[in-house]
Amino acid sequence: MGATLDLVVVGAGIVGLSVALAAARKGKKVLVVERNAKAIGASIRNFGFITISGQKAGEHWERARRTRDVWAEVAEQAGIAVIHRGSVLPAYRPEAEAVMEAFLTTPMGMECRRLTPVEALAHVPALRADGMRAALWSPHELRVESREAIPKVAAWLEQRHGVSFQWNTVVTAIDGTRISTSRGPIEADACVVCPGDDFSTLFPQRVAAYGLRICTLQMLRVMPAIRTRFGAAVMSDLSYGRYEGFADLPEAAALCRRLDVEASEMRGLGIHLIAVQSADGSLVVGDSHVYGDAPEPFAKDRIDALIMEAFDQVFDLPGRRVVERWCGTYASARDRVVMVDRPADNIRLVMVTGGTGASTGFALGEQVVDTLFA
Ligand SMILES: Cc1cc2nc3c(=O)[nH]c(=O)nc-3n(C[C@H](O)[C@H](O)[C@H](O)COP(=O)(O)OP(=O)(O)OC[C@H]3O[C@@H](n4cnc5c(N)ncnc54)[C@H](O)[C@@H]3O)c2cc1C
């Protein structure tokens, strides 16, 4: 008897939803199986910042461009608000300005441009003008509210594309076309496992071969004292020294050396600044990166204080209040930004291993589905 399902996807984070969408668009009958009653992992804890400028050059940057286009389509159809577009990266140190200028000469910089401080403030009036040398304008980015967007993507997949969901169900083993779950077995022709940072439930030996670590991030929601408009996402000098699309440029070496002296504690904790705005005017602000073999359970006040120090260096928002704090985790690899493993011809194990799944997941889902059903 043939299996009635073409594909089971394990995990209802953005990577699993992306695989489900790509397969459904090929006319496949898809079931997503998720351990929790709703997605509660990295995909709803992030900035909802669909980033292109700053992604690793080459294939990953291309993935981000494609993913942004899919997000634009999905957002419109699923009723997801795009809260702002583009990003502004002010450069306060001459070394950051040099990285910005170098980036603009690469193919990735072609649609971006240099802004004067006055032009930067026209996008984001809360920026500090004093000491700002220039800013990078990138037109590509989108910002969605992930905690609302991810459930809406799942509901839209169900209604529009006929994707089924089985919540509160753990997949415990996969053997050929038989998928064992905490609620009994399922038969499907193919299975794609998108477990986020769960390294131990499915194919643990195969996952172990990649030497992955867990990265824990601290995040804050900040309410300005007076309403201020963010017309774009904001990053900072620290981001030019961290995001691979900038930090891999030779010009970044001098910036990193300077940051290692002037901001050594922040650099040691992997802190850089991203600030994006929500519909109620509050700002999602982060983040830090602490690596280990398990999620870090305890959020450190010192890390939050350093993130807010980085925030106050870039924004002039006296009286701002922290109104929410949370941690998130993701799978991290030293040597790759994505991991696609092939336990069998009809099975794939997929992880985004560089903290960019919101920005690259839809394209990665298409790539995985193309090879799976080739
Ligand atoms: C704080 C933070 C900020 C970030 N900011 C950004 C950003 O702005 N832009 C960006 O592009 N990226 C960002 N990232 C990275 C991005 O969020 C992740 O790369 C992405 O969410 C990973 O998606 P995922 O589907 O693999 O994982 P998850 O969202 O963790 O989902 C995995 C799901 O699989 C389920 N699961 C695992 N095993 C099983 C099993 N055996 N059976 C059933 N279910 C199972 C889990 O319950 C979980 O729901 C950020 C990450 C964090 C933590």
Side-chain angles (χ1 to χ4, degrees):
M1 198 176 72
T4 52
L5 286 168
D6 297 310
L7 176 67
V8 162
V9 177
V10 182
I14 188 61
V15 176
L17 298 181
S18 299
V19 169
L21 173 61
R25 281 181 165 172
K26 281 190 181 293
K28 305 294 178 190
K29 191 164 165 39
V30 183
L31 169 70
V32 179
V33 183
E34 164 59 48
R35 163 185 283 135
N36 295 298
K38 57 183 182 178
I40 56 165
S43 302
I44 60 112
R45 299 177 191 221
N46 61 30
F47 295 93
F49 181 30
I50 319 306
T51 320
I52 293 179
S53 294
Q55 298 294 352
K56 192 171 181 58
E59 194 187 6
H60 209 51
W61 183 77
E62 297 288 357
R63 272 192 202 109
R65 285 174 72 89
R66 171 67 190 149
T67 297
R68 185 271 324 270
D69 291 347
V70 178
W71 263 113
E73 289 166 32
V74 172
E76 195 180 320
Q77 293 179 26
I80 297 166
V82 173
I83 299 165
H84 50 67
R85 290 167 196 269
S87 56
V88 172
L89 283 93
Y92 290 92
R93 293 172 177 82
E95 293 85 350
E97 185 185 13
V99 177
M100 181 192 89
E101 287 297 342
F103 177 80
L104 284 168
T105 66
T106 69
M108 298 185 290
M110 265 182 344
E111 293 164 63
C112 302
R113 69 184 182 91
R114 181 187 171 108
L115 300 178
T116 64
V118 170
E119 289 170 327
L121 265 69
H123 288 284
V124 183
L127 282 169
R128 278 189 193 281
D130 40 312
M132 192 197 303
R133 305 177 67 85
L136 178 71
W137 166 249
S138 168
H140 306 299
E141 286 70 27
L142 301 180
R143 148 82 173 134
V144 298
E145 192 72 61
S146 292
R147 57 186 75 179
E148 293 166 14
I150 293 297
K152 283 188 175 179
V153 174
W156 172 79
L157 281 171
E158 198 163 22
Q159 287 151 22
R160 174 75 181 259
H161 288 283
V163 173
S164 308
F165 285 81
Q166 194 162 321
W167 304 97
N168 290 311
T169 307
V170 186
V171 174
T172 51
I174 303 164
D175 186 8
T177 58
R178 186 183 167 87
I179 294 146
S180 304
T181 83
S182 53
R183 291 171 187 257
I186 303 171
E187 279 286 319
D189 289 340
C191 185
V192 180
V193 181
C194 309
D197 59 359
D198 181 331
F199 301 163
S200 53
T201 308
L202 296 168
F203 306 111
Q205 285 94 345
R206 297 191 74 95
V207 176
Y210 290 89
L212 303 179
R213 296 174 298 166
I214 301 229
C215 179
T216 301
L217 298 79
Q218 288 184 209
M219 302 278 285
L220 306 113
R221 184 175 292 277
V222 174
M223 187 58 87
I226 48 161
R227 182 120 191 157
T228 183
R229 179 188 60 85
F230 271 46
V234 176
M235 294 191 270
S236 74
D237 283 9
L238 287 157
S239 314
Y240 284 113
R242 183 167 176 95
Y243 259 105
E244 287 137 314
F246 306 119
D248 287 350
L249 296 168
E251 290 75 6
L255 173 66
C256 292
R257 276 196 300 276
R258 183 164 173 188
L259 291 172
D260 283 341
V261 174
E262 292 178 0
S264 59
E265 193 180 2
M266 288 185 192
R267 292 270 292 169
L269 292 161
I271 289 173
H272 79 131
L273 182 71
I274 298 177
V276 295
Q277 193 161 47
S278 295
D280 67 355
S282 66
L283 308 170
V284 177
V285 177
D287 51 8
S288 54
H289 299 80
V290 172
Y291 298 88
D293 54 10
E296 184 54 54
F298 306 111
K300 295 198 169 49
D301 188 50
R302 177 66 186 151
I303 292 181
D304 285 353
L306 286 167
I307 294 172
M308 290 313 297
E309 193 180 313
F311 179 89
D312 289 333
Q313 285 166 3
V314 170
F315 297 108
D316 186 12
L317 285 172
R320 88 288 183 282
R321 279 180 309 122
V322 176
V323 293
E324 193 176 40
R325 300 167 197 268
W326 67 98
C327 288
T329 56
Y330 61 71
S332 170
R334 288 188 178 86
D335 60 344
R336 66 192 69 225
V337 284
V338 300
M339 185 204 100
V340 180
D341 190 69
R342 191 185 177 115
D345 283 350
N346 67 328
I347 303 171
R348 299 289 184 278
L349 173 59
V350 183
M351 291 180 191
V352 175
T353 49
T356 60
S359 308
T360 58
F362 282 130
L364 181 62
E366 290 175 349
Q367 290 171 339
V368 168
V369 164
D370 281 349
T371 66
L372 186 63
F373 293 111

